[in-house]
Amino acid sequence: MSNSEQAPKVGLDAVGLTNLGGVMWNPTAATLYEEFIMNGEGIIAAHGPMCGETGKYTGRSPEDKFIVEESSSKDKIGWGKVNRPFSEEKFDRLLHRVQAFLQDEMVYVQDCWAGADRELRIPIRVITQHAFHSLFSRNMFIPVTDPEEQRNHTPKFTIINAPGFQADPAIDGTRSEAFILAHFGKGIILIGGTSYAGEIKKSIFTVMNYVLPLRNVLSMHCSANEGPSGDTAVFFGLSGTGKTTLSADPKRRLIGDDEHGWSDNGVFNFEGGCYAKVIRLSAEAEPEIYATTRRFGTVLENVVVDEHTREIDLNDASLTENTRASYPITQIPNAKLDGVGGHPRNIIFLTCDAFGVLPPISRLTPEQASYHFLSGYTAKVAGTERGVKEPQATFSTCFGAPFLALPANIYSDLLAAKMRKHNATCWLVNTGWSGGSYGVGSRIKIAYSRAMVNAALEGKLDKAKYMKDPVFGLDVPTEVPGVPAEILNPRNTWSDKSAYDKKARELVGLFEKNFEQFAQLVPAEVKAAGMTA
């Protein structure tokens, strides 16, 4: 089945795709369900979600991601462990091989926008080999639905997603059969050898992290919501810190759950949907996300389904712990569907400190915000990975290191400048341990973390009394409504005070060692803002 009569003026020959077996232009969810079943790509579960498996690759493959070293971008890229160069010659050769591979193949095309701000949005096109990835793309980005706009859609960036094509490292210069290659000059992202849908989403996030800061727009790996009075808050945090839980508040409208920009107009969502981790999800703890796993239009990735009843089992991790649901944000009842908000009044950095030494909430100066933004700290806990017996510090620059195309200080400088200009307050919230490290102390109750976040967002901490944390140099409120005062000073919660002092100094040392990479890039006051111990 093909609908070539709906082809836009800029066709697939613009990226060298010719002699295809057929093209489906902007197919709807219902059409893609039909194609998904006819192609034998997976099954439809009870209650309606599309369920597919991604085989060997059940998560991102950062070692297989490269940026093409080409004249228009090479002097702007922050080259290093994350952004590794790939030659133009090798890219062109691999692109030709993928173009040849797709001849006589049916492809699915979604023309979309990345970015809800109409002045800053970027026209994109996602070309996929499978209906599964086409519906994922339609969910995750903002589809162009007006027929006239579809005819005139001219993409600045095009993803060619061919998971059936296996690269040969000896011929193609890749690390493995999988590859994620971004050519910013040509506006082409080439993905092959992996069926994990998250590579599509994060490739466009990398594009936004390249394009927008050069236009004085801060791109952020964060969730965002809006309060009843129109006040916007953004939430940064790595996996396991509570970002999804704490930003999902029935009293506040969700702008977006993962990727945003901060422009001169305010905050805007990059996406039109959500990509939630659903392992062991429960209707009690996460009712809104849980409900999406039982709806038509949702794409479930690597979720186990009973072959007879077609009921899903969200507790089954036999395929992967990284089970996912992709769904349009329209499925969230209190979502702000225009995807835009004002300038953030509050910025929340979430960390799960398994060392048990950071205060549960503290207020940061702009310089401290830059320090902790660049640090992007959380901790892995014993038992989560083989061989991890003690808490391990994890640092991810700007809470999104794998997706930052430019040097890190560009993002931190933009954050500090926008905080000052718009008088935003930044808070560091520790959702980790209190009364001792993991194994000795206990996890801070989510009810307390939510009470602290609410107090900050509602302005209840604006006139509170603060004490200076002697180790980390942070301003800690002495009282927070609904939270026992004794837990606000972490040292007080430890029965062995000398053990606290030792563990706190250990974490300070880890922060300082990690920050050495930024020492030459930031002002002295930012470098000095981190620790006092």
Side-chain angles (χ1 to χ4, degrees):
M1 184 178 173
S2 183
N3 59 350
S4 56
E5 71 280 357
Q6 296 176 24
K9 293 174 183 176
V10 177
L12 300 189
D13 55 342
V15 290
L17 293 181
T18 57
N19 302 318
L20 297 164
V23 181
M24 291 287 295
W25 288 101
N26 299 301
T28 61
T31 301
L32 288 167
Y33 265 67
E34 294 168 357
E35 293 288 308
F36 175 78
I37 292 301
M38 285 193 295
N39 296 344
E41 295 179 26
I43 60 175
I44 310 303
H47 314 294
M50 177 187 287
C51 300
E53 296 180 13
T54 64
K56 173 182 173 182
Y57 292 92
T58 58
R60 287 186 305 102
S61 186
E63 296 299 313
D64 293 308
K65 178 185 170 186
F66 299 88
I67 293 177
V68 178
E69 190 174 17
E70 48 86 27
S71 58
S72 75
S73 62
K74 69 177 182 180
D75 293 335
K76 302 182 182 82
I77 302 298
W79 300 106
K81 290 179 181 178
V82 170
N83 299 318
R84 290 162 303 150
F86 200 81
S87 78
E88 271 199 288
E89 180 187 1
K90 286 193 294 183
F91 176 85
D92 290 341
R93 189 165 61 237
L94 187 51
L95 176 58
H96 286 313
R97 281 173 31 80
V98 171
Q99 289 163 343
F101 170 79
L102 288 174
Q103 290 193 8
D104 295 323
E105 287 277 324
M106 166 68 81
V107 298
Y108 304 91
V109 183
Q110 294 292 346
D111 284 333
C112 302
W113 299 104
D117 185 314
R118 296 182 72 88
E119 294 176 18
L120 294 163
R121 65 188 186 179
I122 294 174
I124 64 171
R125 173 171 288 166
V126 187
I127 305 163
T128 64
Q129 196 184 353
H130 297 148
F132 178 80
H133 294 114
S134 191
L135 183 54
F136 172 87
S137 303
R138 190 175 179 86
N139 283 349
M140 296 315 304
F141 306 117
I142 302 168
V144 179
T145 54
D146 179 77
E148 186 62 27
E149 284 188 19
Q150 287 178 346
R151 276 190 291 275
N152 293 302
H153 191 76
T154 304
K156 284 190 177 176
F157 286 88
T158 298
I159 290 179
I160 303 174
N161 183 51
F165 180 91
Q166 307 279 304
D168 183 339
I171 297 172
D172 299 310
T174 55
R175 188 192 70 96
S176 73
E177 74 277 4
F179 53 92
I180 305 96
L181 307 175
H183 192 309
F184 291 127
K186 289 185 174 178
I188 295 176
I189 295 116
L190 205 53
I191 302 173
T194 170
S195 291
Y196 181 64
E199 299 289 11
I200 297 171
K201 166 186 160 72
K202 289 306 185 186
S203 292
I204 293 299
F205 187 41
T206 301
V207 164
M208 302 298 267
N209 281 323
Y210 171 72
V211 172
L212 291 181
L214 301 176
R215 300 173 66 178
N216 198 41
V217 177
L218 174 61
S219 50
M220 305 178 291
H221 191 205
C222 69
S223 57
N225 64 25
E226 182 183 88
S229 63
D231 62 296
T232 298
V234 296
F235 297 76
F236 293 88
L238 302 175
S239 179
T241 58
K243 183 177 66 160
T244 300
T245 301
L246 290 170
S247 63
D249 184 337
K251 298 191 299 295
R252 300 176 65 86
R253 298 173 75 192
L254 183 71
I255 298 171
D257 80 328
D258 197 45
E259 302 171 6
H260 293 82
W262 186 355
S263 71
D264 290 340
N265 302 322
V267 165
F268 63 100
N269 192 358
F270 288 169
E271 301 184 301
C274 304
Y275 189 43
K277 200 170 179 179
V278 294
I279 191 69
R280 290 178 285 279
L281 198 69
S282 74
E284 295 72 35
E286 301 279 3
E288 293 180 350
I289 300 174
Y290 182 86
T292 70
T293 67
R294 283 152 171 78
R295 287 204 184 120
F296 175 86
T298 293
V299 173
L300 293 181
E301 193 174 40
N302 298 313
V303 171
V304 173
V305 185
D306 185 286
E307 63 180 41
H308 299 297
T309 65
R310 294 294 197 261
E311 293 287 347
I312 61 172
D313 185 353
L314 296 180
N315 294 317
D316 191 329
S318 58
L319 293 175
T320 178
E321 281 276 326
N322 190 34
T323 55
R324 294 275 178 169
S326 160
Y327 49 90
I329 200 167
T330 51
Q331 292 194 11
I332 298 297
N334 66 333
K336 194 167 187 292
L337 298 183
D338 63 1
V340 298
H343 296 290
R345 194 176 301 170
N346 290 283
I347 296 162
I348 312 289
F349 293 164
L350 297 167
T351 181
C352 175
D353 176 32
F355 292 82
V357 294
L358 279 175
I361 186 168
S362 48
R363 186 178 62 188
L364 308 183
T365 66
E367 292 78 20
Q368 287 173 327
S370 291
Y371 184 97
H372 284 276
F373 190 52
L374 284 167
S375 298
Y377 164 71
T378 193
K380 291 178 185 175
V381 178
T384 56
E385 289 184 15
R386 188 180 302 167
V388 178
K389 296 178 180 176
E390 293 287 327
Q392 289 187 358
T394 301
F395 296 95
S396 184
T397 308
C398 304
F399 300 95
F403 321 114
L404 304 183
L406 305 173
N409 61 298
I410 290 176
Y411 306 95
S412 64
D413 289 350
L414 272 170
L415 177 71
K418 289 182 182 295
M419 277 185 62
R420 288 191 176 92
K421 182 176 181 180
H422 301 290
N423 199 29
T425 304
C426 189
W427 308 87
L428 181 65
V429 175
N430 171 24
T431 61
W433 269 256
S434 179
S437 296
Y438 174 84
V440 177
S442 56
R443 188 91 188 251
I444 296 169
K445 291 180 180 178
I446 192 69
Y448 293 161
S449 295
R450 190 174 287 286
M452 288 184 271
V453 168
N454 287 344
L457 300 188
E458 293 166 10
K460 293 177 180 176
L461 301 184
D462 292 352
K463 295 180 180 178
K465 291 182 180 178
Y466 286 81
M467 56 188 174
K468 183 75 70 175
D469 185 286
V471 179
F472 301 100
L474 304 168
D475 288 330
V476 179
T478 56
E479 290 185 352
V480 176
V483 179
E486 59 267 21
I487 76 164
L488 296 173
N489 182 339
R491 191 173 188 268
N492 288 348
T493 67
W494 285 54
S495 56
D496 186 338
K497 302 296 190 271
S498 62
Y500 169 87
D501 295 338
K502 181 182 178 183
K503 190 60 71 174
R505 284 194 298 271
E506 180 185 340
L507 183 57
V508 167
L510 294 171
F511 263 96
E512 290 175 341
K513 187 175 190 306
N514 174 71
F515 206 80
E516 288 171 3
Q517 62 186 305
F518 308 117
Q520 304 306 314
L521 300 174
V522 300
E525 55 268 27
V526 172
K527 185 180 175 184
M531 310 290 150
T532 60

